[in-house]
Amino acid sequence: MFSRINSMGLFGMDSYMVEVEADLSQGLPRFDIVGLPDAAVSEAKNRVRSAIKNTGFSFPVSRITINLAPADTKKEGPVYDLPILIALLTAAKQLECKTEGCAFIGEVSLDGLVRHVNGALPMVIAAAKAGVKTVFVPIENAAESSVVQGVEVIPVQTVTQLIKHLRGEELISPATFDNFRDSYEPSVFAPDFRDVKGQAEAKRALEIAAAGGHNIIMVGPPGSGKSMLAKRLPSILPDMTFEESLETTKLYSVAGALPDGVSLMTERPFRSPHHTVSPAGLSGGGTVPRPGEISLAHNGVLFLDELPEFSRNAMEVLRQPMEDSKITISRVSASLSYPCSTMVVCAMNPCPCGYHGHPTRDCTCTQNSVHRYLSRLSGPLLDRLDIHIEVPPVEFNQLSDAAEAECSADIRKRVNAARKKQTERLSGSGISCNAKMDSAQTKLFCRPTAEGLVLLERVFEKLELSARAYDKILRIARTIADLDNSDSVTSDHIAQAVQYRSLDRTLWKNIR
């Protein structure tokens, strides 16, 4: 007796069809699963055996062979429990139903509960593209799976409930998707820029960074508000498009980090790993590579507080992903790529004690210790940080000022308007912000006026900038022009952009 049930497999961000074939034949009782299963898939026979018995069915006493096709692709995880169970029951003639055009995914517990699996969203997307009409998913995965159009998503809580549905006894209502919410709605107590006293220059720099998607580093003494500013950055980031939201949700689904009941990630992620994080924790890893922190911050912010405290290897891991907006992780078993179009925000002190250059407090560090501390950041990494801003200590009159600062909602309006201009300008290129432009796009869209070009030439020679820094100044100037609603990049925009390369001529100038 033979049956075939459709399921889905996962390989990084991509999914593919898997045919679960069950064959019951005469011979000594045995249960084999073939088709390159990993340990979790091989253990499915124990879970499925108990689930069948505990839901009122008889486990077939025969020679059982389960084949997961294509047989040359490694199969991972407990996602095949449910299709194996259905394939066994249909092959044993204990379940009579039509399964053409259907796919099943889900882990099965010993008592017949259907449990959550990782990567349900990309699996359902691939199923829809393959022409599958109905996908049965665990009820915990129903919210994310319902986003996919053109396929009926059936949420399943127990094996018994699924059997009744397949027999037509008690039908399960398909999962439905609420309309996409494309605007950020902060709670009353969400961090807001109105809470920040003073630091007008730092706020302006963060506004420019948010508008253009630029990487930024803030340098200042302890208590100057660097972390406070960074944690309020999500409140001024531009609204996510549906495509950005879907791609981010796919990443979180694959990583198993999607919050319960969430169908789409409509707020840009903000990841802040501790400085003890390993290089693999940042980039991703594992026997079969999983997304790391830099990928989980895709379309959002990766905040690295106390940057020099991160290991040198961890910092250097960021260099290639910051440039290419994707990261490729190679292992013996697989080589996978994950997107990481991430805005990197860094904060650090100017020296080990934190008070180098402080206007009122003396620095207790030696020149050599300051040199060693700053040297923890390599030149290539610093060059990839578009905006450099020094955050000075806040004075008493600023802290005691009763006047309310500009709120995040007002800043966000300007950021959204600037990002809209960039999206229209770069339509069809696959990018939506100035920071991700390549050299050809920079030359085409960031051409300065004659006066601006003269100023840029003087700056380039005086600061001995690299070609990368030259392009970054032009992109920052383009973002400033967008915020000013200007079609051309003027000398004033160039001058402002140059001010955000301060570390090229102050702290690091003396140690390079």
Side-chain angles (χ1 to χ4, degrees):
M1 293 176 285
F2 174 82
S3 70
R4 180 184 289 114
I5 298 293
N6 290 325
S7 186
M8 306 300 301
L10 193 64
F11 187 75
M13 290 276 287
D14 300 319
S15 183
Y16 56 94
M17 291 290 297
V18 173
E19 291 185 345
V20 179
E21 301 171 333
D23 177 73
L24 307 183
S25 58
Q26 295 181 350
L28 293 175
R30 185 169 176 175
F31 194 166
D32 293 321
I33 299 179
V34 298
L36 287 183
D38 71 350
V41 179
S42 297
E43 292 169 354
K45 51 191 173 186
N46 298 318
R47 293 190 294 270
V48 169
R49 179 186 287 108
S50 296
I52 288 177
K53 292 179 178 179
N54 292 327
T55 50
F57 293 93
S58 299
F59 187 78
V61 181
S62 59
R63 188 180 184 89
I64 301 172
T65 303
I66 300 292
N67 179 44
L68 306 177
D72 60 347
T73 304
K74 185 76 172 178
K75 314 300 187 307
E76 287 189 309
V79 65
Y80 305 106
D81 290 5
L82 192 60
I84 289 174
L85 186 147
I86 298 299
L88 281 176
L89 292 181
T90 53
K93 305 300 182 183
Q94 297 185 56
L95 175 63
E96 299 287 342
C97 64
K98 292 183 179 180
T99 57
E100 294 81 6
C102 299
F104 300 79
I105 59 176
E107 176 185 349
V108 175
S109 68
L110 301 185
D111 60 351
L113 288 175
V114 180
R115 291 176 170 164
H116 169 275
V117 295
N118 295 339
L121 179 56
M123 290 183 193
V124 176
I125 291 175
K129 291 180 180 179
V132 174
K133 300 301 181 183
T134 305
V135 182
F136 295 86
V137 302
I139 195 168
E140 292 91 343
N141 295 112
E144 58 181 291
S145 303
S146 65
V147 174
V148 185
Q149 302 298 312
V151 63
E152 187 178 53
V153 176
I154 305 296
V156 181
Q157 191 167 18
T158 66
V159 171
T160 302
Q161 181 192 34
L162 173 60
I163 298 301
K164 290 181 178 179
H165 174 88
L166 293 174
R167 287 174 171 172
E169 298 172 0
E170 295 182 15
L171 297 181
I172 305 172
S173 300
T176 57
F177 172 60
D178 295 332
N179 291 332
F180 172 64
R181 179 174 61 83
D182 59 354
S183 61
Y184 174 73
E185 297 178 3
S187 65
V188 177
F189 300 105
D192 195 287
F193 269 90
R194 66 159 62 94
D195 305 327
V196 182
K197 299 292 184 179
Q199 305 297 8
E201 292 184 7
K203 291 179 186 177
R204 172 64 175 171
L206 286 172
E207 179 181 341
I208 294 170
H214 302 286
N215 303 322
I216 182 171
I217 180 171
M218 297 179 285
V219 183
S224 57
K226 303 183 296 297
S227 299
M228 185 179 187
L229 286 163
K231 290 174 181 177
R232 279 153 180 76
L233 185 58
S235 65
I236 65 169
L237 292 176
D239 297 333
M240 293 185 81
T241 64
F242 179 80
E243 291 73 20
E244 289 175 332
S245 182
L246 184 63
E247 191 169 28
T248 303
T249 307
K250 285 173 64 178
L251 262 170
Y252 274 70
S253 178
V254 169
L258 194 65
D260 293 338
V262 171
S263 55
L264 274 178
M265 300 277 293
T266 57
E267 297 176 14
R268 295 186 181 273
F270 181 88
R271 307 291 297 188
S272 181
H274 192 260
H275 63 258
T276 56
V277 66
S278 66
L282 277 176
S283 64
T287 304
V288 176
R290 297 295 183 187
E293 289 290 338
I294 192 169
S295 291
L296 293 176
H298 180 56
N299 291 323
V301 174
L302 178 67
F303 177 44
L304 305 177
D305 201 4
E306 305 295 345
L307 182 61
E309 301 300 330
F310 285 78
S311 70
R312 185 65 175 255
N313 289 338
M315 286 191 284
E316 296 307 306
V317 156
L318 298 173
R319 286 167 52 178
Q320 180 264 337
M322 288 169 66
E323 198 77 10
D324 300 339
S325 296
K326 70 175 182 179
I327 185 164
T328 300
I329 311 165
S330 298
R331 296 292 185 269
V332 173
S333 60
S335 179
L336 298 175
S337 294
Y338 291 108
C340 56
S341 182
T342 303
M343 179 179 165
V344 179
V345 178
C346 307
M348 62 173 289
N349 297 325
C351 67
C353 79
Y355 296 104
H356 181 71
H358 196 282
T360 59
R361 297 191 60 169
D362 294 331
C363 175
T364 60
C365 305
T366 65
Q367 189 63 36
N368 285 337
S369 65
V370 174
H371 184 281
R372 286 194 300 270
Y373 185 77
L374 296 178
S375 297
R376 295 178 186 176
L377 273 69
S378 67
L381 177 62
L382 186 64
D383 207 32
R384 286 169 168 79
L385 297 172
D386 308 20
I387 296 176
H388 310 161
I389 186 72
E390 295 186 60
V391 184
V394 183
E395 298 178 357
F396 175 78
N397 60 345
Q398 294 174 323
L399 288 173
S400 59
D401 188 1
E404 192 172 88
E406 186 178 26
C407 67
S408 294
D410 293 337
I411 301 174
R412 189 184 182 91
K413 290 178 182 177
R414 296 195 296 268
V415 169
N416 273 325
R419 186 61 70 91
K420 183 179 179 181
K421 285 178 172 291
Q422 296 166 44
T423 302
E424 294 172 352
R425 182 187 303 127
L426 299 167
S427 61
S429 65
I431 60 176
S432 60
C433 62
N434 291 333
K436 303 303 179 184
M437 288 192 291
D438 58 25
S439 296
Q441 292 167 328
T442 302
K443 184 177 180 180
L444 178 63
F445 298 121
C446 305
R447 186 186 303 273
T449 60
E451 295 82 1
L453 191 61
V454 171
L455 175 60
L456 188 57
E457 181 182 3
R458 293 174 182 171
V459 169
F460 185 83
E461 294 175 353
K462 185 175 182 180
L463 298 185
E464 300 176 357
L465 298 176
S466 66
R468 181 184 288 112
Y470 171 85
D471 280 349
K472 287 188 179 299
I473 287 177
L474 284 176
R475 293 166 195 158
I476 295 169
R478 178 69 266 175
T479 301
I480 296 171
D482 290 337
L483 286 168
D484 289 347
N485 199 25
S486 172
D487 292 331
S488 58
V489 179
T490 66
S491 58
D492 182 53
H493 299 142
I494 294 291
Q496 291 183 58
V498 169
Q499 293 302 310
Y500 296 120
R501 299 294 300 188
S502 64
L503 301 186
D504 287 322
R505 62 180 186 277
T506 54
L507 291 174
W508 274 265
K509 181 68 174 178
N510 298 324
I511 66 171
R512 299 300 177 199

